[in-house]
Amino acid sequence: MHGNQTATARTGLPLTDDIIEQLREVLEACDVGLCLVDDQRRVWAWNQRFTERAGRWDADTPTLIETLFPALANERFADQVREAVSLSIAPEQDSPRGRSAQSRQVIRLDPQTRIRISVRPLMLHPGYCLVQFTDLDEVQPEDTPRSGFTLTEQRTRAMLASIEDAVILLDPHGMVEFVNLAAENLTGYQSRWAVGRPLTAIYQVFDETDSLDHPFEMEQVLSDMGRQLVLQHREGLSIPIQQTLSRLRDQAGNLEGMVLVFKDTSQSRKMAAQLSWQSSHDPVTRLYNRAEFDRHLSQLLDQAGSHGDCHCLLYLDVDRFIVVNDNCGHAAGDELLRQLAGLMKRSIRSSDMLARLGGDEFGILLSQCTRESAERIAESIRSNVQDFCFSWGEKAFPQSVSIGMVPINEQNVSVQQVMSYADMACITAKEEGRNKIHVYHPQESSAAKRHGEAQWVTRIRQALEADLLALYVQPITSLQPGNSEVEHVEVLIRLLDPDGDIIAPGVFIPAAERFGLMPAVDRWVVARVVDYIRDNRQRCLATGRRFFVNLSGLSLCDDGFLQWLLEIIQSQDIPCGMLCFELTETAAISNLTTAEHFMRSLQRIGCEFALDDFGSGLSSFAYLKHLPVEYLKIDGAFVKDMLENDIDESMVDAINHIGHVMGLETIAEFVESAQIRDRLMELGVDYAQGYAICRPFPITQLLDR
């Protein structure tokens, strides 16, 4: 209602505030937009769905409906309103459509939204009509106009007949006075049979958790509003519904009747079930996902803690999954995951839970399972996968899986702890040669030793905050005549113990890698190297040294790291060619597209790149042509034993030859003796680095040497 005004149509009855409030109770029970207009097309009452369509407006003054919906500013709509109002005033007049006349037209609110506008006379209050707004995408089979309804002035049957939800109008005692077409369809009872009977004769509802032997009594039906109920159709079909009830009262507050509105929620429930499934399952393999796996694991931890039950967790990682993805694409990778999931299901019990945890990792929860039984299941899975060969087109890929196993008992305190143990056990299985099973034991397991790495996290963070890290350098020396005699250096990092001891990177770097701290460590190193070059700019330019700085794979994939690196190098005006970043071969080929973009972005501002540990990967030479590098650092594992192992020497020779064919310079690591150095010179390797050349020393001593 607009303020305290009273609406009066030209020849109709006045609408007082009390009457409009009563009408709005009915309107609000409907899921479609509804409003009440007079013969001048002014809006006097509406529901929330109408407001959502119309937007905000000054509701305290009468507003023309075409002001809210400009598409209705046409003669056709004006004629529809005039005709509907006329029918409400003189319902017995000769009309081709009769008293239940309904006019329609379609308008567009925007290019994507079409709305059907329906106009009907409001018999309850002559001089007004009801306008309904319905999304065409939501339109249900239409209510066919029927004759024979006796509409009275004190009831809102004409309005209820136009509503597309199921509606039953009751008298104060719960007797049926009116049933619209939607209600007839849901209950199976026609209006002419239902009128005059108790509501429970046609409206039999049950609590969805109970059997269908005990339908609700009248009092229960009228009190259970907003609940999910089950309606039994006349022919026995059970339909999930949701109901609301509006009580109609006169100006003195006396109950005049009730309007029961209900709707079929089958479709919405189906959508809710689908969303629930999607939230707990992996779309590729259709297995449970990580979130659902963690929830079940939490339940098993509670059982183990309170009842002493024995359970086990298997953490599985597919070996060399990247080979299939890189050679055949993601579609092949997804199909491999699906086939492996099927293989694993054959080896577990119906009570066990198999989930895809992400990427090429799976998890299995073995409830009520001893360690011995769990090991047999794990071995069955490992063996089945080993015997499986994945085919894609004309290519075939042998498969294997590494498995970490963790008993779940009262000693485990959290999901995070158990998953951390399982991850460490799986990594240990991989490091032991892949296609292995490793069981985590708090004292015995090498995976348990990895848990000690977690203790380093706090120390590393404190070292970063308190500047308790130090830069060392190790020279890289030319082996060939004609090469520059300038000595380059690789920048290394050390951690300073509070007692003054120097801690080597092999002790704390694995922990930094595992717990995601390497981007922070890399930023610290780069910032200090840039500061050193800035503070000693002229002497660095005079010596012509190149600083080789290691970057981790985590930094390579850090969205903000590249931008930070570009900004700090350009802001400090670092000379071109003075910085050379080292990326390990494994990190580069695991993120090939990212690595190529990273390298080219920095090369544009004068940086160079070296591929570290080259030769350790599966497809080194195939990937090399995609990576824009200037140097190849030959994996030290081949260099250190090359004098005793002909294969190692052949690998060094092959890498050096391929590097030169591609116009790259080669650097041999782990040069531990003068004999190895001399043999490298004979093979034509360009540079050498190792203890036979020089041991690492603090960067502060570099300019004094």
Side-chain angles (χ1 to χ4, degrees), residues 479 642 652 668 671 676-685:
L479 296 178
M642 60 181 289
V652 172
V671 181
I676 293 177
R677 181 198 61 197
D678 293 342
R679 182 58 183 146
L680 290 169
M681 292 175 63
E682 294 173 4
L683 292 176
V685 176

Side-chain angles (χ1 to χ4, degrees), residues 95-153:
S95 169
R97 289 189 298 271
R99 294 168 57 189
S100 60
Q102 179 174 217
S103 300
R104 293 187 174 94
Q105 67 170 291
V106 174
I107 65 171
R108 284 189 180 272
L109 294 186
D110 54 59
Q112 289 77 37
T113 308
R114 293 193 307 156
I115 300 295
R116 188 183 71 194
I117 307 298
S118 304
V119 183
R120 282 195 175 184
L122 184 61
M123 301 303 181
L124 171 62
H125 290 285
Y128 302 89
C129 64
L130 190 70
V131 181
Q132 176 176 316
F133 293 71
T134 308
D135 285 358
L136 282 185
D137 292 339
E138 299 175 356
V139 171
Q140 304 297 322
E142 301 205 6
D143 187 354
T144 304
R146 296 174 297 160
S147 60
F149 285 127
T150 303
L151 305 177
T152 63
E153 291 184 352

Side-chain angles (χ1 to χ4, degrees), residues 479 585 610-616 631-640 642 648-657 659-660 665-671 680 683-687 689:
L479 296 178
E585 178 193 353
L611 198 58
D612 199 9
D613 297 335
F614 188 78
S616 61
Y631 298 91
L632 286 186
K633 298 194 76 173
I634 304 171
D635 191 349
F638 300 125
V639 175
K640 65 180 181 179
M642 60 181 289
D648 285 350
E649 181 176 309
S650 297
M651 285 295 297
V652 172
D653 190 25
I655 294 172
N656 182 63
H657 178 69
H660 288 167
E665 293 188 283
T666 54
I667 303 171
E669 303 177 295
F670 284 77
V671 181
L680 290 169
L683 292 176
V685 176
D686 297 305
Y687 295 92
Q689 177 184 0

Side-chain angles (χ1 to χ4, degrees), residues 354-637:
L354 171 62
R356 182 189 178 197
L357 305 182
D360 58 351
E361 298 166 344
F362 295 84
I364 301 176
L365 292 177
L366 305 172
S367 59
Q368 302 297 334
C369 186
T370 63
R371 171 182 164 177
E372 292 75 18
S373 297
E375 287 189 31
R376 285 196 295 271
I377 293 173
E379 174 57 29
S380 174
I381 294 173
R382 188 204 65 77
S383 177
N384 287 342
V385 174
Q386 182 184 27
D387 295 339
F388 168 68
C389 186
F390 176 70
S391 298
W392 187 263
E394 298 180 355
K395 298 179 180 180
F397 301 88
Q399 295 298 310
S400 64
V401 63
S402 299
I403 304 175
M405 190 179 101
V406 179
I408 301 172
N409 50 45
E410 65 278 358
Q411 296 177 355
N412 303 129
V413 297
S414 69
V415 169
Q416 291 75 18
Q417 182 191 59
V418 175
M419 292 303 293
S420 175
Y421 292 162
D423 181 38
M424 293 172 188
C426 185
I427 291 174
T428 302
K430 278 190 173 294
E431 292 180 348
E432 289 175 350
R434 295 188 175 91
N435 196 26
K436 304 283 186 181
I437 300 169
H438 189 94
V439 183
Y440 179 90
H441 296 290
Q443 284 77 34
E444 308 167 12
S445 173
S446 58
K449 296 177 183 177
R450 287 186 171 276
H451 188 59
E453 294 176 354
Q455 309 300 319
W456 281 99
V457 172
T458 302
R459 295 185 63 178
I460 295 170
R461 286 177 175 154
Q462 290 174 345
L464 288 168
E465 294 171 0
D467 220 22
L468 295 176
L469 297 169
L471 292 183
Y472 275 56
V473 293
Q474 186 176 32
I476 299 173
T477 301
S478 173
L479 296 178
Q480 302 302 324
N483 280 355
S484 169
E485 296 183 0
V486 175
E487 189 178 71
H488 304 311
V489 294
E490 178 180 355
V491 179
L492 306 171
I493 189 171
R494 301 289 187 267
L495 191 148
L496 304 178
D497 188 271
D499 297 329
D501 296 330
I502 302 296
I503 301 173
V507 177
F508 64 90
I509 289 298
E513 288 276 8
R514 187 172 307 283
F515 294 97
L517 295 178
M518 279 310 298
V521 173
D522 287 348
R523 285 178 186 243
W524 188 93
V525 172
V526 172
R528 297 306 180 278
V529 172
V530 167
D531 288 347
Y532 180 86
I533 295 173
R534 180 200 61 203
D535 295 342
N536 301 278
R537 181 181 179 84
Q538 294 306 319
R539 297 185 66 184
C540 286
L541 284 170
T543 59
R545 283 196 179 95
R546 181 171 286 108
F547 293 83
F548 286 69
V549 180
N550 292 279
L551 296 179
S552 74
L554 293 176
S555 297
L556 191 68
C557 298
D558 186 329
D559 292 337
F561 186 79
L562 174 59
Q563 187 59 38
W564 174 84
L565 203 52
L566 291 168
E567 290 175 358
I568 192 172
I569 292 172
Q570 291 177 306
S571 66
Q572 299 301 323
D573 193 23
I574 301 301
C576 290
M578 193 166 286
L579 280 178
C580 180
F581 293 105
E582 293 189 23
L583 296 174
T584 65
E585 178 193 353
T586 302
I589 67 174
S590 297
N591 308 278
L592 198 57
T593 302
T594 302
E596 186 174 2
H597 170 70
F598 187 94
M599 292 177 178
R600 295 195 187 282
S601 297
L602 287 166
Q603 283 174 332
R604 282 194 287 269
I605 62 170
C607 298
E608 295 184 342
F609 280 89
L611 198 58
D612 199 9
D613 297 335
F614 188 78
S616 61
L618 292 171
S619 308
S620 301
F621 296 117
Y623 286 108
L624 182 58
K625 59 186 178 182
H626 297 291
L627 297 171
V629 298
E630 285 78 20
Y631 298 91
L632 286 186
K633 298 194 76 173
I634 304 171
D635 191 349

Side-chain angles (χ1 to χ4, degrees), residues 5-21:
Q5 301 178 60
T6 299
T8 306
R10 290 182 177 177
T11 56
L13 299 176
L15 286 177
T16 64
D17 285 348
D18 291 338
I19 293 174
I20 287 186
E21 287 303 317

